[in-house]
Structure formats: C-alpha cells, structure tokens
Amino acid sequence: MSAQLRQSILIASFMLAAGIAVLALRQEMRTENTAPPIDLKSIVPRQFGQWHVDAALLPLVVSPDVQQKLDMVYDQMLTRTYVDDHGERVILLLAYGRMQLGGDLQLHRPEGCYAAQGFLFEQMKRDSVALDGRIIPVTRLVAVKGNRIEHITYWARVGDKLVRGYFNQALVRISIGLKGRHPDGLLFRVSNLDRDTQHSMDVQDRFIRDLMSAVPADKHSVLIGK
C-alpha cells in the first residue's frame, strides 16, 4: 500500500469519525443552552483611553444575502468605528453566537465575508498579540477592492479556547460537546484603511490593548476565553 493511499485512508477515517461525533452531538445537545446571556454593548465601552466612537467612517456594508446568513449564525453583532486623538481610525466588529440549531456552532471568518463582497487578499498570515502576559493567536489579512485597502486582524473563540482555522474550530467544538457542554463562540475583528502594513498592525495592536484594559476583568473571558 502506497504512502499516499495510506494517508487518504487515514484522512477519510478521521472525517468519518468526526462526522459520527457531530451526529452524536446533535442528538445530545438539543437541550436549552445554559450559557449566561451576553450583552456586547455593555461590555465594550464607547470611549476609553484616547479612543471614542466616530460615525465619520462607515464600516463595510455587506450585501443583503450575506447579512441574512450572518443573522442566522450570530445572536449579536456589534460594529463600531473608533478614532483616537491622533486621527487614527479602527473598525471593530464583534460577532457572538450560541449553539446553533441542530447542535452546530458556526463562526464565519473574514476570508469568506470579504471574498463574498468582491475583495481579493494580497496577504494572509498567522501572528500573535501580547496581552498582559498572554499571547493571543491572531490572523492578519490585507483585503483589496479597487482603491480600498483594508488591513484586518482577527481571532475566534469557541467555548473557553481561542481557535485558528475551521479544522481547529471543529475539533474544539467536538471536544467540548463530548463533555456535555454547550459551547458559545465569538469572532473579534479589527481593521483599518491604510497602505502601510506595519503601521496598521501597530495601530490595531495598540487599540486591542487599550480596549482590553477598559473592559471589566470579569468580562475578559467573553472576548479571549479563559
């Protein structure tokens, strides 16, 4: 048996096992979700440090069909544009979802949402943000559409864990479900319009640290898990 054939069989076996686990979870997780209610607007202040909400720059407006899909996935979405004392602007998007119908928890990453709006990606890389001695795994993107160049940094939380990629997200969701828990999830995304990649990263990282310093300590787990 060739190595390629063995690898194909191994992948197929894993996918079958994962599918069986998901079906089992759907049967076991039909009870009411017991996660405490989340109010993103009360967690994230409209003003903190040098930052305050600014209505001058509107976030990306998604098409009606994309918005319909997002409304089906998420229980809450918070989108704001912040500006600091130096005129730097950052667009913040938080999307929170509980267990979906049938036991599924889905988080739609920017790669899909931006591509659906006609954006192309010039860069995509894994990175991290240092936050009070903790390393937050993030993904950074540069999305381009015409003259609009948007630098994006995001992370995703499932249950108490931060996950990277759909594969890791699925594994964590299954692992939590097998313990009889009902995982919720959150997508944290910041972006800004700039042609300078390093400057954009520096501004976004500063915004993230300032924001987390202003969020009550007992609410940090909502954004970054435990």
Side-chain angles (χ1 to χ4, degrees):
M1 183 182 297
S2 68
Q4 184 176 4
L5 180 58
R6 286 196 299 270
Q7 185 179 21
S8 298
I9 293 175
L10 180 61
I11 294 174
S13 300
F14 177 82
M15 292 178 66
L16 177 61
I20 293 174
V22 169
L23 290 175
L25 287 177
R26 286 181 173 178
Q27 294 300 319
E28 295 177 5
M29 296 174 60
R30 294 183 183 274
T31 57
E32 182 181 357
N33 193 310
T34 58
I38 299 296
D39 183 3
L40 296 177
K41 290 183 179 179
S42 67
I43 293 175
V44 180
R46 295 180 61 86
Q47 182 171 347
F48 54 91
Q50 297 183 351
W51 301 92
H52 64 272
V53 171
D54 176 41
L57 179 63
L58 296 177
L60 175 68
V61 178
V62 301
S63 60
D65 58 326
V66 173
Q67 187 61 55
Q68 183 179 20
K69 293 178 181 178
L70 294 175
D71 291 340
M72 293 175 62
V73 171
Y74 297 116
D75 297 299
Q76 286 187 63
M77 293 187 66
L78 175 65
T79 306
R80 291 174 180 166
T81 300
Y82 288 85
V83 62
D84 72 357
D85 295 344
H86 305 288
E88 301 284 2
R89 286 180 169 83
V90 173
I91 304 167
L92 170 69
L93 180 140
L94 301 178
Y96 173 78
R98 290 175 145 196
M99 182 185 68
Q100 305 299 311
L101 293 177
D104 285 339
L105 171 66
Q106 304 174 41
L107 293 175
H108 287 259
R109 286 168 164 71
E111 295 95 309
C113 292
Y114 274 77
Q117 300 299 304
F119 280 81
L120 300 177
F121 296 109
E122 290 190 348
Q123 298 179 34
M124 178 184 299
K125 70 173 184 176
R126 294 183 172 186
D127 203 353
S128 60
V129 175
L131 192 62
D132 286 335
R134 180 175 175 183
I135 302 300
I136 306 298
V138 302
T139 300
R140 300 195 194 265
L141 311 168
V142 180
V144 179
K145 184 178 181 181
N147 293 325
R148 183 184 179 109
I149 301 177
E150 189 163 351
H151 293 262
I152 305 163
T153 298
Y154 79 90
W155 69 75
R157 173 184 66 78
V158 175
D160 292 335
K161 298 183 180 297
L162 299 181
V163 298
R164 248 203 201 117
Y166 289 103
F167 183 73
N168 184 221
Q169 175 180 318
L171 288 181
V172 171
R173 178 165 54 84
I174 291 173
S175 174
I176 294 174
L178 289 175
K179 297 177 182 178
R181 295 165 54 195
H182 303 160
D184 63 350
L186 179 130
L187 181 73
F188 183 109
R189 189 193 83 197
V190 293
S191 64
N192 60 349
L193 306 179
D194 198 331
R195 294 183 178 274
D196 188 327
T197 299
Q198 187 60 52
H199 180 256
S200 292
M201 291 170 53
D202 292 342
V203 170
Q204 291 175 7
D205 290 1
R206 177 167 60 85
F207 174 86
I208 291 171
R209 295 189 184 101
D210 291 346
L211 172 61
M212 293 304 301
S213 295
V215 170
D218 62 340
K219 301 298 183 183
H220 279 196
S221 61
V222 174
L223 303 182
I224 60 175
K226 295 181 180 180

